[in-house]
Amino acid sequence: MNDHDHYFTAEPVSAAQQRSTTVELAGREVTVRTAAGIFSPDGIDKGTAVLLREAPAPPPTGALLDLGCGWGPITLTLALRSPGATVYGVDVNERALDLLRTTAASLDLGSVHACRPGDVPADLEFAAIWSNPPIRVGKAVLHDMLLTWLPRLAVGGAAYLVVQKNLGSDSLQKWLGEQLPADAYVVGRFALDKGFRVLEVRRTA
């Protein structure tokens, strides 16, 4: 990766070095496209693996969101597990979005929409949000992102966020509980696994 590139860079300048790799998603082996200049180019990172293992079955229909999708392991899993749903993979990294589009097309997953945040219909509510949020963008950016998207949960919907314990999962859980209205959201710890926490944010009203 170029010294000036991060996985949250919109237009990476490093050479793409695209490659195919085989991973297991939704209980089946699939071939996906990855590249340099994106998050976890060598496969499924530990945090995402925890989320995919621990999160409950996604809703079978409705709009589902993967926030910070990267090359798309969460987006693709949601689409494979809920073929009746529409799945949005959202990222600022255009290279990652292109990779997700390519893989989704190769798997005939027409329900997948890989897009930048501003390209998601403004009035859309989500039945579920799954995310391995980009903690390393810094608290200000992370907090703004979460407070932008979590209120777009539909009533009865839930978000599942995987965060490493030593990167502040407990403090993030506390902060979310303070920021989201208690009469409309319940914030809790859903699962613990290998140094990671899966946080649940459920919208009740």
Side-chain angles (χ1 to χ4, degrees), residues 135-148:
I135 299 297
R136 297 182 189 280
V137 298
K139 280 188 178 180
V141 175
L142 176 69
H143 288 175
D144 180 68
M145 182 176 76
L146 293 176
L147 291 183
T148 295

Side-chain angles (χ1 to χ4, degrees), residues 15 42 112 156:
D42 297 322
V112 168

Side-chain angles (χ1 to χ4, degrees), residues 100-182:
L100 174 54
R101 292 182 191 113
T102 299
T103 300
S106 72
L107 297 174
D108 199 25
L109 295 174
S111 63
V112 168
H113 299 270
C115 50
R116 294 192 185 218
D119 295 330
V120 178
D123 59 348
L124 192 63
E125 291 189 328
F126 296 97
I129 298 173
W130 288 17
S131 181
N132 181 355
I135 299 297
R136 297 182 189 280
V137 298
K139 280 188 178 180
V141 175
L142 176 69
H143 288 175
D144 180 68
M145 182 176 76
L146 293 176
L147 291 183
T148 295
W149 292 95
L150 290 175
R152 296 183 65 171
L153 275 171
V155 175
Y160 295 92
L161 316 173
V162 64
V163 183
Q164 201 166 349
K165 184 177 186 298
N166 64 12
L167 290 181
S169 61
D170 294 342
S171 60
L172 181 62
Q173 178 183 338
K174 181 174 183 289
W175 179 84
L176 286 169
E178 293 168 348
Q179 295 296 315
L180 296 170

